[in-house]
Amino acid sequence: MGGDRPYTAAELAQRERDQHDPVFLEWLASLDAELALFFERDVPDMPADLWSEEGLRHAEQAALAYYWADDPIDLDWPERSKRFARYLGEVFVRSFEGSWMWIDVDRRGSNEPVVREPATPAYLEVELHVGGAMTERTGEKWARLFNYSLEDYEAWVAAGRLSPEDWFEYRVEHGR
């Protein structure tokens, strides 16, 4: 979660301010329109439950088909991959009480949209996982991520939806 050292109070305060960055707020405001475009153009044949493991598998297969097509380079891929990242993240937001955040995960001075899940200690770096799925090429990467999060989420709910600090302590005490 962002390097080898704990975040300073100043860094945490900046992170809070970053959530009000106009670039991020504009990105959030366009989320629904971009998802509508995703379902209309990129993956129009989604299964009935869009926000599920099945939906993720289907979407990942579609992404692989675009990325590894025999046609010349897909000139739309950069924008399309961003829509796949939005979809991937939104599944985790809706399924695991997550939220979108604007974070400089690697402390390199560049924020990106990531998903924060209360039951998972790390941010879900959606663009990273879109690229990872294209490299892995199994069609199962996003479903694996979903199942890892589902396991953590179910344990977190069973423990009483603890605060992040209490959840960390609970996991340490219970070997999770």
Side-chain angles (χ1 to χ4, degrees):
M1 190 168 141
D4 296 17
R5 63 176 174 74
Y7 289 100
T8 65
E11 288 172 321
L12 292 173
Q14 180 60 49
R15 178 172 291 175
E16 282 302 312
R17 287 190 299 277
D18 287 346
Q19 303 317 299
H20 304 284
D21 182 331
V23 172
F24 180 53
L25 296 176
E26 182 179 316
W27 186 93
L28 282 174
S30 67
L31 183 65
D32 289 340
E34 289 294 311
L35 286 171
L37 193 58
F38 172 82
F39 293 125
E40 178 185 316
R41 287 192 193 164
D42 302 321
V43 193
D45 60 342
M46 286 291 286
D49 188 355
L50 305 173
W51 316 107
S52 65
E53 179 183 351
E54 179 187 9
L56 283 173
R57 277 197 170 91
H58 188 80
E60 186 173 346
Q61 290 295 329
L64 287 167
Y66 283 117
Y67 191 79
W68 292 100
D70 292 332
D71 299 337
I73 294 177
D74 179 0
L75 298 177
D76 292 330
W77 177 251
E79 288 306 311
R80 184 175 283 132
S81 72
K82 290 177 184 173
R83 290 192 298 269
F84 274 95
R86 284 179 188 255
Y87 168 73
L88 174 62
E90 193 63 16
V91 170
F92 285 76
V93 166
R94 291 175 186 229
S95 298
F96 307 117
E97 300 180 39
S99 58
W100 285 103
M101 297 191 73
W102 188 240
I103 303 290
D104 180 5
V105 177
D106 296 325
R107 295 178 173 163
R108 293 184 184 154
S110 178
N111 289 358
E112 63 182 288
V114 298
V115 173
R116 176 74 178 117
E117 300 168 61
T120 306
Y123 296 108
L124 180 69
E125 298 176 65
V126 290
E127 290 186 18
L128 178 76
H129 288 297
V130 170
M134 298 309 97
T135 301
E136 184 178 296
R137 297 172 53 178
T138 64
E140 294 293 319
K141 181 173 181 51
W142 299 346
R144 276 196 320 274
L145 289 170
F146 183 89
N147 285 312
Y148 295 148
S149 285
L150 179 60
E151 183 179 312
D152 287 340
Y153 178 76
E154 288 174 343
W156 177 71
V157 168
R161 289 183 162 87
L162 301 170
S163 70
E165 297 79 18
D166 291 341
W167 178 234
F168 176 80
E169 292 299 322
Y170 179 90
R171 290 176 67 138
V172 168
E173 289 173 18
H174 293 87
R176 292 199 44 83

